[in-house]
Amino acid sequence: MIAIVGGGMSGLALGRELVRRGRECVVFEAEDRPGGIVNSKRVDGLLLENGPQRARLAAPFAALVDELGLGESLILAPRDLDLFIYRDGRLRRVPLSMRGLLKSDAVSWRGKLRAMLEPLTPGARDDERVADFFSRKLGRELYEHVVGPLYGGLYGTDPGDMVVGLSLGGLLRDMGIGRSLLLPRLLRRVPRAPRICSFADGMESLPRALVRAVGDRVRLNAPVRAIEPRTGGWSVVLDGETLPAEQVVLAVPAQVAARLLRGVAPDASTRIGGLRYNPLAVVHLRADTDLRGIGFQVSLAERRALRGVTFSHCLFGGEGGRPDRNGVYTAYLAQPAHPRGGPSGSMGDSAAARGRSMEARTNEALGDRAASEFERCTGYRAEPLGVARPSMPAWDTSWSALPGLRLPPGLHVTANWESRPGLTGRFARARALAASLDRDRR
C-alpha cells in the first residue's frame, strides 16, 4: 500500500494516477474537505475563489477535464481581455507582444529601445537573482514596471530574493526559451497562449472530481501524527490506529513535512523546515465599475501592499459565464517588493517584520485596506465581501537547501514547494512520481 499524506491537489493528483495504474493507495487528509488551497465558496450568492482563480486550458489540462467529466461545466474566458499594470496614477495595458510593446504606455520610448537590445545580451545564469536577470536582459524600467510585478506576483515574492536556478530556470526551460526572451516573439515562434478557464461551480470542482476518481481511498479528518520505519516499509500513525505502508508520499506544506520527517530524516527535515512561505491576504471586493480585462498588477515602484487584482466578473461573468460573478474583484495583499531588486530588496528582517505585521491585522482591517487601494488605483469604491489568508511558498533563496535533499528509501515528497508550482506542474509531477513508484515495484 502507498500512503499519501495530504489531500490537496498534489496528493489527489497522485492518488488518481496510482488508481489508474492499479496500485493500492490511501490519501490521508487532516481537514474535513479535500483540495487544499483550491477553495471555492459562495457569499450572498456570489462565487468567490480563495485559491487559484483560473487555469490555462493547455492540451494536457483539457484532456484531464474530459477524463474527469468536467467538460460540461467548463467556462472559457473571452480571448480579447487585456492585462494591466498600475503605474504613475493609472492603469496601463501590459505589452504581451512586440507590437504591443511598441504601442504600450506602460514603458517609455527609452525603455522600449533598451528592451530591443535584449537578443544581444547573454542568457540566464543559474546563480543570478531573478531581478538582476530581467534588468540585465530587458532594462530596469521594463523589469520594474512590468516583468517584476507579473513574475513576483505569482509567488508574492520580491524577485530580488529569487535565484534563477532555483525558480525561473525551470519555467524558461518548460517554455523552450534559451538565450533570448524576445527573439522567439520576433520570429513568431511562440505558440498562442491557451485559453483561460474555470468551472461553473468554481475551481474546487477539480478536487471534487479527483476525489470521485480516487473513491473511498480518500480519508478525510485523518491527520497523520507520525511516520515510523518498520521491516519492509513504513508505519503511518494516525489517531487511534497505525497502518503499514510500503511507500509513503508527503503531499503537505513544507512545515508539516519537516515535522513528520524530524525523527526519520533529520537533515531533510531541517532543509525543508527552512523554506520560507509568504503570508498573503486574498480579499474579495464588490464594485460597480466599467473596468474590463483580466486584472492588473502593481508596479514595484509603487511600494504598495496591494500586489494585484483579478477582474473575476470579466473572466467568467456575462456571455458564456455566470451572471452571479458580475462586480466581483479579487485583490491580493502582500509585503511590498523592492523596486530595485537585488540583495537590498531581499526578504530580510524588515520584510519578515512586515509579513508578521500583515498577519497580525484583522480581516476587517485587511478588507478596508484592499478596498482603499482598489479605489486609489481604479477610482471606484468597493465593498469587502470576505478575506482568506493563504501562505504561498516563496521560491526564494531559502530554496537553495533543496538540491541536497535526500530521503530514506520508501519516502517521497510531492508538493508546490518541491517541484514546479501551479496546477499544470502538480499533474505533471503526479504522472512522473506514479511512474517512478511503478518502477520501484518492479
Side-chain angles (χ1 to χ4, degrees):
M1 190 266 285
I2 299 173
I4 303 171
V5 183
M9 293 304 299
S10 296
L12 293 174
L14 177 60
R16 172 181 175 271
E17 289 294 333
L18 292 173
V19 168
R20 294 177 68 192
R21 292 169 177 268
R23 300 297 303 272
E24 182 183 358
C25 67
V26 179
V27 179
F28 299 101
E29 169 53 46
E31 303 297 329
D32 60 1
R33 53 166 292 277
I37 197 173
V38 181
N39 180 1
S40 311
K41 67 175 184 178
R42 290 189 181 272
V43 174
D44 297 336
L46 300 173
L47 185 59
L48 311 179
E49 300 283 8
N50 289 332
Q53 304 292 305
R54 56 192 184 268
R56 286 282 186 179
L57 197 62
F61 189 78
L64 176 70
V65 167
D66 288 339
E67 291 169 10
L68 293 175
L70 292 174
E72 291 187 0
S73 67
L74 188 70
I75 301 175
L76 297 176
R79 282 194 180 275
D80 62 344
L81 295 179
D82 289 317
L83 180 62
F84 297 90
I85 285 289
Y86 177 79
R87 175 189 177 183
D88 296 334
R90 64 187 183 88
L91 299 179
R92 305 164 188 271
R93 284 184 177 83
V94 170
L96 298 177
S97 66
M98 293 306 302
R99 178 179 295 181
L101 176 61
L102 295 176
K103 296 173 62 176
S104 173
D105 65 350
V107 184
S108 69
W109 274 106
R110 182 177 180 180
K112 296 171 186 178
L113 291 173
R114 168 60 182 84
M116 293 298 102
L117 299 176
E118 189 275 336
L120 304 179
T121 60
R125 301 192 306 268
D126 281 348
D127 61 345
E128 68 182 322
R129 301 293 178 107
V130 169
D132 293 337
F133 166 71
F134 282 131
S135 298
R136 177 174 62 77
K137 295 289 286 181
L138 299 169
R140 175 62 61 179
E141 185 182 359
L142 191 58
Y143 160 72
E144 184 175 309
H145 298 301
V146 179
V147 181
L150 293 177
Y151 184 74
L154 295 174
Y155 310 94
T157 299
D158 185 340
D161 200 38
M162 303 178 80
V163 179
V164 169
L166 301 175
S167 56
L168 180 63
L171 178 61
L172 295 178
R173 287 190 292 272
D174 289 344
M175 295 175 64
I177 294 176
R179 170 175 167 169
S180 175
L181 301 171
L182 297 184
L183 195 57
R185 290 190 177 276
L186 289 169
L187 299 176
R188 299 187 178 182
R189 292 176 180 170
V190 178
R192 190 174 190 182
R195 293 285 294 274
I196 295 173
C197 68
S198 183
F199 303 96
D201 290 321
M203 291 297 294
E204 198 170 341
S205 298
L206 192 55
R208 292 191 194 113
L210 288 170
V211 169
R212 291 194 294 271
V214 179
D216 59 6
R217 301 169 187 85
V218 178
R219 291 183 53 177
L220 302 178
N221 296 306
V224 172
R225 302 303 184 185
I227 51 177
E228 299 172 349
R230 61 182 292 273
T231 302
W234 297 88
S235 293
V236 179
V237 181
L238 297 95
D239 292 332
E241 63 177 322
T242 299
L243 300 175
E246 299 171 16
Q247 311 266 353
V248 175
V249 181
L250 301 181
V252 290
Q255 293 301 320
V256 178
R259 175 178 59 80
L260 293 174
L261 290 171
R262 194 170 297 138
V264 296
D267 179 69
S269 174
T270 299
R271 290 174 180 272
I272 294 171
L275 301 181
R276 286 191 286 257
Y277 276 59
N278 288 329
L280 303 178
V282 179
V283 184
H284 301 288
L285 304 170
R286 177 162 45 196
D288 182 12
T289 83
D290 61 359
L291 296 172
R292 188 174 189 275
I294 296 172
F296 68 87
Q297 298 295 120
V298 178
S299 166
L300 300 184
E302 297 291 333
R303 302 288 290 153
R304 296 188 181 279
L306 181 67
R307 301 295 289 272
V309 174
T310 297
F311 299 171
S312 304
H313 71 291
C314 291
L315 289 171
F316 306 117
E319 184 179 355
R322 296 178 63 88
D324 62 5
R325 294 195 186 195
N326 288 337
V328 175
Y329 298 81
T330 306
Y332 298 87
L333 301 180
Q335 62 258 32
H338 195 283
R340 297 300 175 189
S344 63
S346 63
M347 291 179 59
D349 293 339
S350 61
R354 290 194 298 272
R356 289 192 295 270
S357 174
M358 191 179 74
E359 288 180 305
R361 295 185 180 186
T362 65
N363 283 354
E364 182 179 5
L366 290 170
D368 290 343
R369 178 69 177 271
S372 173
E373 296 214 8
F374 179 87
E375 183 176 1
R376 182 186 296 269
C377 292
T378 67
Y380 294 101
R381 297 183 63 113
E383 169 198 0
L385 294 171
V387 178
R389 296 170 175 259
S391 292
M392 292 293 293
W395 283 88
D396 61 6
T397 52
S398 64
W399 260 250
S400 61
L402 282 194
L405 182 68
R406 298 291 183 271
L407 293 173
L411 291 185
H412 314 269
V413 293
T414 176
N416 62 354
W417 54 264
E418 167 267 339
S419 55
R420 180 182 169 188
L423 293 176
T424 301
R426 304 325 314 134
F427 288 111
R429 170 62 174 150
R431 290 190 294 271
L433 181 54
S436 175
L437 292 171
D438 256 0
R439 290 193 295 271
D440 288 348
R441 178 175 60 172
R442 293 194 291 268

